[in-house]
PDB file of all heavy atoms in Angstrom:
ATOM      1  N   PHE S  31     -99.288 322.391  -3.946  1.00  0.00           N
ATOM      2  CA  PHE S  31    -100.036 321.370  -3.195  1.00  0.00           C
ATOM      3  C   PHE S  31    -101.092 320.697  -4.073  1.00  0.00           C
ATOM      4  O   PHE S  31    -101.157 319.473  -4.149  1.00  0.00           O
ATOM      5  CB  PHE S  31    -100.695 321.983  -1.959  1.00  0.00           C
ATOM      6  CG  PHE S  31    -101.704 321.108  -1.308  1.00  0.00           C
ATOM      7  CD1 PHE S  31    -101.320 320.067  -0.470  1.00  0.00           C
ATOM      8  CD2 PHE S  31    -103.059 321.294  -1.542  1.00  0.00           C
ATOM      9  CE1 PHE S  31    -102.262 319.227   0.123  1.00  0.00           C
ATOM     10  CE2 PHE S  31    -104.010 320.442  -0.971  1.00  0.00           C
ATOM     11  CZ  PHE S  31    -103.602 319.417  -0.121  1.00  0.00           C
ATOM     12  N   THR S  32    -101.897 321.504  -4.731  1.00  0.00           N
ATOM     13  CA  THR S  32    -102.979 320.931  -5.561  1.00  0.00           C
ATOM     14  C   THR S  32    -102.397 320.125  -6.730  1.00  0.00           C
ATOM     15  O   THR S  32    -102.962 319.069  -7.065  1.00  0.00           O
ATOM     16  CB  THR S  32    -103.942 322.009  -6.087  1.00  0.00           C
ATOM     17  OG1 THR S  32    -103.221 322.986  -6.820  1.00  0.00           O
ATOM     18  CG2 THR S  32    -104.682 322.670  -4.932  1.00  0.00           C
ATOM     19  N   THR S  33    -101.292 320.573  -7.309  1.00  0.00           N
ATOM     20  CA  THR S  33    -100.710 319.850  -8.415  1.00  0.00           C
ATOM     21  C   THR S  33    -100.106 318.517  -7.974  1.00  0.00           C
ATOM     22  O   THR S  33    -100.407 317.460  -8.546  1.00  0.00           O
ATOM     23  CB  THR S  33     -99.617 320.715  -9.088  1.00  0.00           C
ATOM     24  OG1 THR S  33    -100.221 321.918  -9.548  1.00  0.00           O
ATOM     25  CG2 THR S  33     -98.966 319.984 -10.242  1.00  0.00           C
ATOM     26  N   VAL S  34     -99.239 318.549  -6.966  1.00  0.00           N
ATOM     27  CA  VAL S  34     -98.538 317.349  -6.506  1.00  0.00           C
ATOM     28  C   VAL S  34     -99.505 316.313  -5.951  1.00  0.00           C
ATOM     29  O   VAL S  34     -99.450 315.135  -6.325  1.00  0.00           O
ATOM     30  CB  VAL S  34     -97.452 317.718  -5.496  1.00  0.00           C
ATOM     31  CG1 VAL S  34     -96.846 316.474  -4.848  1.00  0.00           C
ATOM     32  CG2 VAL S  34     -96.365 318.572  -6.131  1.00  0.00           C
ATOM     33  N   PHE S  35    -100.401 316.739  -5.097  1.00  0.00           N
ATOM     34  CA  PHE S  35    -101.320 315.775  -4.499  1.00  0.00           C
ATOM     35  C   PHE S  35    -102.352 315.262  -5.486  1.00  0.00           C
ATOM     36  O   PHE S  35    -102.833 314.140  -5.358  1.00  0.00           O
ATOM     37  CB  PHE S  35    -101.955 316.355  -3.237  1.00  0.00           C
ATOM     38  CG  PHE S  35    -101.091 316.237  -2.028  1.00  0.00           C
ATOM     39  CD1 PHE S  35    -100.160 317.207  -1.726  1.00  0.00           C
ATOM     40  CD2 PHE S  35    -101.179 315.123  -1.190  1.00  0.00           C
ATOM     41  CE1 PHE S  35     -99.343 317.067  -0.612  1.00  0.00           C
ATOM     42  CE2 PHE S  35    -100.354 314.980  -0.070  1.00  0.00           C
ATOM     43  CZ  PHE S  35     -99.408 315.964   0.232  1.00  0.00           C
ATOM     44  N   SER S  36    -102.673 316.065  -6.521  1.00  0.00           N
ATOM     45  CA  SER S  36    -103.572 315.577  -7.565  1.00  0.00           C
ATOM     46  C   SER S  36    -102.916 314.429  -8.343  1.00  0.00           C
ATOM     47  O   SER S  36    -103.568 313.434  -8.704  1.00  0.00           O
ATOM     48  CB  SER S  36    -103.935 316.678  -8.547  1.00  0.00           C
ATOM     49  OG  SER S  36    -104.775 317.615  -7.913  1.00  0.00           O
ATOM     50  N   LEU S  37    -101.649 314.539  -8.592  1.00  0.00           N
ATOM     51  CA  LEU S  37    -100.917 313.468  -9.291  1.00  0.00           C
ATOM     52  C   LEU S  37    -100.918 312.201  -8.423  1.00  0.00           C
ATOM     53  O   LEU S  37    -101.142 311.094  -8.923  1.00  0.00           O
ATOM     54  CB  LEU S  37     -99.494 313.906  -9.606  1.00  0.00           C
ATOM     55  CG  LEU S  37     -99.345 314.976 -10.681  1.00  0.00           C
ATOM     56  CD1 LEU S  37     -97.907 315.467 -10.763  1.00  0.00           C
ATOM     57  CD2 LEU S  37     -99.819 314.457 -12.016  1.00  0.00           C
ATOM     58  N   ALA S  38    -100.689 312.372  -7.122  1.00  0.00           N
ATOM     59  CA  ALA S  38    -100.685 311.204  -6.216  1.00  0.00           C
ATOM     60  C   ALA S  38    -102.075 310.590  -6.152  1.00  0.00           C
ATOM     61  O   ALA S  38    -102.243 309.352  -6.176  1.00  0.00           O
ATOM     62  CB  ALA S  38    -100.228 311.636  -4.838  1.00  0.00           C
ATOM     63  N   ALA S  39    -103.105 311.410  -6.041  1.00  0.00           N
ATOM     64  CA  ALA S  39    -104.473 310.915  -5.961  1.00  0.00           C
ATOM     65  C   ALA S  39    -104.884 310.192  -7.256  1.00  0.00           C
ATOM     66  O   ALA S  39    -105.569 309.175  -7.216  1.00  0.00           O
ATOM     67  CB  ALA S  39    -105.460 312.064  -5.678  1.00  0.00           C
ATOM     68  N   THR S  40    -104.433 310.703  -8.385  1.00  0.00           N
ATOM     69  CA  THR S  40    -104.718 310.044  -9.669  1.00  0.00           C
ATOM     70  C   THR S  40    -104.042 308.656  -9.713  1.00  0.00           C
ATOM     71  O   THR S  40    -104.675 307.683 -10.167  1.00  0.00           O
ATOM     72  CB  THR S  40    -104.229 310.912 -10.844  1.00  0.00           C
ATOM     73  OG1 THR S  40    -104.911 312.149 -10.794  1.00  0.00           O
ATOM     74  CG2 THR S  40    -104.507 310.234 -12.186  1.00  0.00           C
ATOM     75  N   TYR S  41    -102.807 308.585  -9.252  1.00  0.00           N
ATOM     76  CA  TYR S  41    -102.128 307.285  -9.199  1.00  0.00           C
ATOM     77  C   TYR S  41    -102.886 306.328  -8.264  1.00  0.00           C
ATOM     78  O   TYR S  41    -103.117 305.165  -8.610  1.00  0.00           O
ATOM     79  CB  TYR S  41    -100.691 307.459  -8.712  1.00  0.00           C
ATOM     80  CG  TYR S  41     -99.973 306.145  -8.563  1.00  0.00           C
ATOM     81  CD1 TYR S  41     -99.522 305.456  -9.668  1.00  0.00           C
ATOM     82  CD2 TYR S  41     -99.786 305.585  -7.308  1.00  0.00           C
ATOM     83  CE1 TYR S  41     -98.897 304.236  -9.537  1.00  0.00           C
ATOM     84  CE2 TYR S  41     -99.154 304.359  -7.162  1.00  0.00           C
ATOM     85  CZ  TYR S  41     -98.702 303.689  -8.287  1.00  0.00           C
ATOM     86  OH  TYR S  41     -98.099 302.474  -8.151  1.00  0.00           O
ATOM     87  N   MET S  42    -103.328 306.830  -7.101  1.00  0.00           N
ATOM     88  CA  MET S  42    -104.061 306.001  -6.168  1.00  0.00           C
ATOM     89  C   MET S  42    -105.390 305.521  -6.782  1.00  0.00           C
ATOM     90  O   MET S  42    -105.831 304.408  -6.563  1.00  0.00           O
ATOM     91  CB  MET S  42    -104.321 306.773  -4.873  1.00  0.00           C
ATOM     92  CG  MET S  42    -103.079 307.006  -4.049  1.00  0.00           C
ATOM     93  SD  MET S  42    -103.330 308.163  -2.692  1.00  0.00           S
ATOM     94  CE  MET S  42    -104.509 307.289  -1.681  1.00  0.00           C
ATOM     95  N   LEU S  43    -106.010 306.403  -7.576  1.00  0.00           N
ATOM     96  CA  LEU S  43    -107.250 306.056  -8.255  1.00  0.00           C
ATOM     97  C   LEU S  43    -107.040 304.889  -9.213  1.00  0.00           C
ATOM     98  O   LEU S  43    -107.844 303.948  -9.285  1.00  0.00           O
ATOM     99  CB  LEU S  43    -107.794 307.276  -8.982  1.00  0.00           C
ATOM    100  CG  LEU S  43    -109.103 307.123  -9.738  1.00  0.00           C
ATOM    101  CD1 LEU S  43    -110.262 306.883  -8.788  1.00  0.00           C
ATOM    102  CD2 LEU S  43    -109.366 308.337 -10.606  1.00  0.00           C
ATOM    103  N   THR S  44    -105.927 304.920  -9.961  1.00  0.00           N
ATOM    104  CA  THR S  44    -105.654 303.857 -10.904  1.00  0.00           C
ATOM    105  C   THR S  44    -105.390 302.516 -10.208  1.00  0.00           C
ATOM    106  O   THR S  44    -105.636 301.467 -10.787  1.00  0.00           O
ATOM    107  CB  THR S  44    -104.447 304.171 -11.835  1.00  0.00           C
ATOM    108  OG1 THR S  44    -103.252 304.270 -11.047  1.00  0.00           O
ATOM    109  CG2 THR S  44    -104.678 305.463 -12.606  1.00  0.00           C
ATOM    110  N   LYS S  45    -104.897 302.594  -8.972  1.00  0.00           N
ATOM    111  CA  LYS S  45    -104.653 301.382  -8.179  1.00  0.00           C
ATOM    112  C   LYS S  45    -105.863 300.977  -7.328  1.00  0.00           C
ATOM    113  O   LYS S  45    -105.788 300.040  -6.551  1.00  0.00           O
ATOM    114  CB  LYS S  45    -103.421 301.581  -7.293  1.00  0.00           C
ATOM    115  CG  LYS S  45    -102.134 301.779  -8.049  1.00  0.00           C
ATOM    116  CD  LYS S  45    -101.833 300.593  -8.898  1.00  0.00           C
ATOM    117  CE  LYS S  45    -100.553 300.755  -9.680  1.00  0.00           C
ATOM    118  NZ  LYS S  45    -100.279 299.603 -10.512  1.00  0.00           N
TER     119      LYS S  45
END
Side-chain angles (χ1 to χ4, degrees):
F31 166 80
T32 57
T33 301
V34 171
F35 278 87
S36 290
L37 291 171
T40 301
Y41 177 76
M42 291 170 63
L43 181 68
T44 65
K45 296 299 180 181

